[in-house]
Amino acid sequence: MTQTCILAFLSALTVVVAISWTATPFNPLSIPLAVRSPSLSCWLPGGNDGGNLAGQWPEFWTGATLGWAGYVRVDNTTYVYMGAPSVPNLSPPLATQTNFAFTSTQSIFKLNAGPITLPASFLSPIEPNDLLRQSLPFSYLAISVESNDGAPHSVQIYSDISAEWVSGDDALVASWSTHTGDIMTHQVQLRTQELFSEVNEHTQYGAAYYSVASGGTYQTGADVNVRTQFINNGKLTNTEDTNYRAVDQNWPVFGHAFDLGSVRAATAPIVFSIGHARDPALQYIVMNDASKMAYSMLLRFSSGITLVHSPPPMPSTLTYTPMRVQSPRTTQPSSLSPPVKPLVLELTIGTSSDDILMFMKEISSDGNVNTVDVIFPAYPIFLYTNPALARYLLEPLFQYQNTGQSPNKWSGHDMGSHYPNATGHNDGSDEAMPVEESGNMVIMSAAYMKATGDSALGSSYYNLLQQWTSFLINDSLIPANQISTDDFAGALANQTNLAIKGIVGIAGMSQIASALGKTVDAQYYSSIAQSYVPLFEGFATSKDGSHLDLSYGNDSSWGITYNLYADKLLQANLFPDHLYEMQTDWYPTVKQPYGIPLDTRHLYTKTDWQIFMSAGVTSNSTRDLFIESVASFQKGGLTNEPFPDLYDTNTGEQDVIQFKARPVVGGHFAHLALKAL
Ligand SMILES: *[C@@H]1O[C@H](CO)[C@@H](O)[C@H](O)[C@H]1NC(C)=O
Ligand SMILES: *[C@@H]1O[C@H](CO)[C@@H](O)[C@H](O)[C@H]1NC(C)=O
Ligand SMILES: *[C@@H]1O[C@H](CO)[C@@H](O)[C@H](O)[C@H]1NC(C)=O
Ligand SMILES: *[C@@H]1O[C@H](CO)[C@@H](O)[C@H](O)[C@H]1NC(C)=O
Ligand SMILES: *[C@@H]1O[C@H](CO)[C@@H](O)[C@H](O)[C@H]1NC(C)=O
Ligand SMILES: *[C@@H]1O[C@H](CO)[C@@H](O)[C@H](O)[C@H]1NC(C)=O
């Protein structure tokens, strides 16, 4: 390469399309618009070439387009404030984005459309202490307008969604209806409902709802017709298109319009609710390989419907109020993760009202139900927001394995291969992570009991917990060749980090026994855990005493020993200070431009594990090194997908293994969970 070539190449690499608006606290990789459940997961691509509400389509987490369009008409001139709608012979200009801000629950845009300013707030509530409200698969959009030149202007607002919200295959036929009354609701569903099935990760049953308080006009029909009607007239026809057809055939859209009249001061917001609900939500395995239904709370409780239409208050003004304040410094891990809305799960109810369960989809990596090693990294957000949620999430795993149908002596990996079928693994063929999952279940149970003082979980499943601990006693000091949660990195024998998890798990069992008054058992488990620590140190420490090896005896290897976080979480104080100090001193020596690699096998790393490690080191500078690494990736703008948790520490780009929108980012609350216990 010539010198000029190299320069051209380098400058091409560093091209950054600067955003033209103010972003608070920064312009994220992807912006959540309506994110509450595996079927309600709508994002706006962000990063260096995105983040503009007007001019690009929102997307399902997979990247599939979700039609959601908005126009504002000011003195007869129409502007696009949302989406990328196109109508023949009419090309309304885009409103100009001037501000964007996000908090734990809101994404707030401010746009100028000629002489008016339009704040648009998207709210996906987190309501961990109100199970019914938390279970609602609904998000909200509030829009208001005000004059920005002091003069009054005639303003009309329009919003629609397409039928893309109900299927992963746009060739399938949808049907729809509009319900009028106090609340105007468009309901859309697939004509042929496929219970419990998904296509391209999108649910194929249930319905999408787009509602607003009455007072406006509505229309359903082909996108060009409905949108042209609004652009030309500022109102809709109050008519329904009943020619049910494929999602992509003359694209049916479901529109609402409001005439705000002559506007000078800020108007009261118009609040739209958008959601997707299914009933039953899941099926799960019980005794004798039978299945039981887990139902939608919304559709079982009539008050749920009322709640959908009385969203929590949402500001229409642009104030940045982080919902939660994180401990260390200003680079707050919790303000890095909020755009993800980590409480993406389904709270369900069985046939009796105390039969509450919670389900989580392993989004993007494989679609498994309640994956134990995805719940473990996400666990801090539950411990912090409401530890009772943790039990609803662990219960399905315990109930199933307590039936004795799973043949393995270690803890299973998940409740079913593909959401929403929690149909178990009676052939024992779930992805085997023996030490990982056994350790996770015991540690999470101990942490739950510590956080709540509720010992029922431990007493109900004591035998299972003992069985898994017995496995840890046999197999965690010298872990066999196996994978850890980081399965993409491959199998390895004698993994230091797995041994840490197993040993902390044994200590966790001692705490569980102790809480149940079983002092003999408590003493037994505690003494084994204690006795393993020096042996472990001997196996795992490099000969020069500079770091823990990735695998015993290989001194040129190392990794992020994030399982030490579990020792902190349980306050077990198993591992000595000098071991923590050694690791704390080591990581700054192996930092790459965008962070600390997960281990010596690759340059990629995980955001969740870096934050876990940051909560387990002994110096503020190493703590901040990890936190700022995650921040540098978040702010780098080099991808536009929903919060990837696996990225390259050298380039700052998303890894080729494209993890997105995964629940594991709940781990960014690791510091807060420590304080909550
Ligand atoms: C908007 O159009 C209506 C109907 O054509 C007209 O009466 C009105 O004067 C127009 N308003 C403006 C501000 O141009
Ligand atoms: C769930 O199981 C049902 C049969 O009960 C099947 O039709 C469906 O395809 C499965 N769904 C997924 C996502 O695998
Ligand atoms: C480390 O940071 C904490 C706040 O997160 C602060 O209270 C403490 O004083 C700092 N320690 C040192 C040695 O600077
Ligand atoms: C652990 O080893 C003991 C002694 O060999 C054995 O009795 C026990 O079944 C093993 N536990 C598990 C869970 O494999
Ligand atoms: C694992 O480590 C132990 C202790 O150092 C050693 O005896 C054993 O050979 C190692 N196993 C493998 C597969 O390397
Ligand atoms: C030791 O670890 C390094 C880095 O992960 C790896 O490249 C090497 O193959 C390992 N050596 C052995 C003997 O496993």
Side-chain angles (χ1 to χ4, degrees):
M1 257 191 211
T2 65
Q3 185 73 12
T4 353
C5 268
I6 291 169
L7 285 176
F9 179 62
L10 284 179
S11 63
L13 280 181
T14 52
V15 167
V16 167
V17 184
I19 55 168
S20 56
W21 55 88
T22 314
T24 309
F26 58 87
N27 191 48
L29 300 177
S30 182
I31 297 171
L33 299 181
V35 181
R36 290 204 78 184
S37 77
S39 345
L40 186 70
S41 184
C42 175
W43 304 74
L44 186 71
N48 287 338
D49 53 5
N52 204 339
L53 187 62
Q56 57 175 345
W57 283 121
E59 295 179 350
F60 191 52
W61 66 260
T62 56
T65 297
L66 289 177
W68 194 358
Y71 291 128
V72 58
R73 196 162 176 268
V74 185
D75 300 332
N76 299 347
T77 300
T78 301
Y79 301 81
V80 176
Y81 68 81
M82 180 170 185
S86 90
V87 172
N89 307 319
L90 292 170
S91 315
L94 302 181
T96 308
Q97 189 156 313
T98 57
N99 294 79
F100 169 71
F102 69 79
T103 69
S104 297
T105 55
Q106 289 180 68
S107 299
I108 307 167
F109 300 81
K110 205 169 183 181
L111 302 103
N112 281 341
I116 64 116
T117 296
L118 179 150
S121 296
F122 295 82
L123 170 71
S124 292
I126 295 177
E127 294 174 283
N129 296 308
D130 181 333
L131 297 187
L132 179 53
R133 283 199 93 114
Q134 179 58 44
S135 79
L136 303 177
F138 280 78
S139 293
Y140 304 93
L141 162 60
I143 292 177
S144 64
V145 294
E146 65 187 290
S147 168
N148 60 28
D149 65 0
H153 298 282
S154 159
V155 180
Q156 295 85 39
I157 285 281
Y158 170 89
S159 180
D160 72 38
I161 63 164
S162 72
E164 285 158 304
W165 289 73
V166 302
S167 178
D169 177 358
D170 291 342
L172 297 180
V173 173
S175 66
W176 51 84
S177 51
T178 300
H179 311 278
T180 56
D182 290 350
I183 304 291
M184 189 84 82
T185 299
H186 293 300
Q187 177 180 337
V188 196
Q189 58 274 311
L190 281 178
R191 191 172 61 186
T192 305
Q193 297 270 300
E194 297 281 357
L195 202 58
F196 304 125
S197 86
E198 292 196 338
V199 168
N200 294 324
E201 300 293 326
H202 199 297
T203 187
Q204 296 302 105
Y205 71 106
Y209 302 84
Y210 196 41
S211 309
V212 66
S214 62
T217 53
Y218 70 90
Q219 188 174 343
T220 63
D223 57 347
V224 293
N225 295 348
V226 179
R227 292 169 185 165
T228 301
Q229 163 68 29
F230 177 79
I231 294 169
N232 288 337
N233 304 291
K235 62 181 180 203
L236 299 176
T237 55
N238 289 337
T239 56
E240 294 183 55
D241 171 350
T242 51
N243 173 26
Y244 305 134
R245 56 186 183 273
V247 172
D248 64 2
Q249 193 191 330
N250 293 324
W251 303 93
V253 301
F254 312 95
H256 293 290
F258 282 84
D259 185 357
L260 302 177
S262 178
V263 171
R264 196 200 310 253
T267 59
I270 293 175
V271 180
F272 298 90
S273 71
I274 187 159
H276 191 291
R278 320 182 316 282
D279 198 49
L282 291 97
Q283 56 177 336
Y284 66 100
I285 182 170
V286 291
M287 280 298 237
N288 303 318
D289 204 14
S291 5
K292 196 172 161 185
M293 302 299 158
Y295 297 106
S296 151
M297 288 193 189
L298 164 70
L299 299 175
R300 295 283 142 175
F301 293 104
S302 54
S303 56
I305 305 286
T306 316
L307 291 179
V308 166
H309 301 303
S310 54
M314 52 193 299
S316 56
T317 52
L318 205 72
T319 333
Y320 173 60
T321 45
M323 188 176 90
R324 306 168 201 296
V325 181
Q326 173 59 300
S327 44
R329 307 211 335 170
T330 48
T331 38
Q332 302 159 349
S334 69
S335 76
L336 298 176
S337 56
V340 175
K341 306 298 186 297
L343 289 189
V344 172
L345 30 82
E346 288 190 285
L347 261 162
T348 66
I349 188 127
T351 35
S352 71
S353 65
D354 57 355
D355 190 7
I356 296 168
L357 296 174
M358 199 158 89
F359 294 95
M360 178 188 267
K361 179 177 177 182
E362 187 182 336
I363 290 176
S364 93
S365 30
D366 62 15
N368 290 176
V369 186
N370 286 27
T371 307
V372 177
D373 61 288
V374 169
I375 297 176
F376 178 77
Y379 215 56
I381 192 164
F382 302 114
L383 293 176
Y384 177 65
T385 55
N386 179 5
L389 295 174
R391 178 159 186 191
Y392 298 129
L393 200 46
L394 297 182
E395 271 294 333
L397 291 154
F398 273 116
Q399 287 181 14
Y400 166 51
Q401 292 176 86
N402 217 29
T403 64
Q405 295 175 96
S406 160
N408 296 321
K409 55 187 187 275
W410 54 80
S411 159
H413 172 267
D414 61 73
M415 276 292 292
S417 303
H418 208 102
Y419 207 89
N421 290 331
T423 41
H425 296 282
N426 287 358
D427 61 358
S429 66
D430 48 316
E431 190 177 14
M433 297 184 181
V435 172
E436 178 76 55
E437 310 301 34
S438 303
N440 286 341
M441 287 302 285
V442 183
I443 291 165
M444 291 193 288
S445 300
Y448 164 79
M449 288 170 62
K450 203 176 191 64
T452 60
D454 169 16
S455 57
L457 186 75
S459 53
S460 302
Y461 303 112
Y462 197 69
N463 290 345
L464 262 185
L465 289 162
Q466 277 196 305
Q467 176 193 322
W468 296 332
T469 308
S470 163
F471 179 78
L472 294 176
I473 291 170
N474 296 355
D475 290 79
S476 66
L477 182 58
I478 309 282
N481 187 23
Q482 64 194 287
I483 51 174
S484 75
T485 179
D486 306 311
D487 53 359
F488 45 86
L492 193 61
N494 280 336
Q495 291 189 59
T496 296
N497 197 40
L498 272 184
I500 294 171
K501 175 157 285 167
I503 298 169
V504 178
I506 300 165
M509 190 65 209
S510 168
Q511 295 185 357
I512 292 171
S514 175
L516 296 172
K518 298 176 187 287
T519 45
V520 175
D521 286 1
Q523 182 53 40
Y524 167 70
Y525 293 120
S526 168
S527 65
I528 292 177
Q530 302 286 350
S531 71
Y532 279 5
V533 171
L535 297 171
F536 162 83
E537 274 202 89
F539 294 144
T541 311
S542 65
K543 282 176 205 69
D544 65 1
S546 64
H547 65 276
L548 292 173
D549 294 343
L550 172 66
S551 60
Y552 297 170
N554 184 347
D555 286 356
S556 57
S557 71
W558 52 265
I560 301 182
T561 50
Y562 53 82
N563 284 326
L564 286 171
Y565 176 75
D567 187 28
K568 295 285 171 201
L569 189 64
L570 298 184
Q571 294 157 13
N573 300 319
L574 267 182
F575 295 96
D577 290 348
H578 64 82
L579 183 144
Y580 281 96
E581 283 153 14
M582 175 175 74
Q583 293 300 83
T584 300
D585 292 345
W586 175 256
Y587 292 117
T589 70
V590 293
K591 185 191 179 300
Q592 296 292 316
Y594 290 87
I596 316 292
L598 188 56
D599 63 50
T600 33
R601 290 171 291 180
H602 302 90
L603 277 172
Y604 53 54
T605 195
K606 301 278 313 320
T607 64
D608 48 345
W609 298 144
Q610 287 187 95
I611 300 294
F612 264 50
M613 197 69 224
S614 78
V617 293
T618 56
S619 84
N620 285 1
S621 62
T622 302
R623 176 195 70 191
D624 296 343
L625 180 71
F626 279 107
I627 295 174
E628 275 154 20
S629 294
V630 175
S632 69
F633 166 60
Q634 279 296 298
K635 295 174 182 174
L638 297 175
T639 154
N640 62 10
E641 305 219 53
F643 209 114
D645 54 288
L646 184 68
Y647 73 91
D648 189 307
T649 55
N650 189 36
T651 62
E653 289 169 4
Q654 179 176 16
D655 191 73
V656 288
I657 304 169
Q658 299 209 336
F659 286 171
K660 341 173 187 183
R662 300 201 323 146
V664 301
V665 297
H668 295 190
F669 287 71
H671 289 263
L672 293 167
L674 290 183
K675 295 201 159 166
L677 280 178

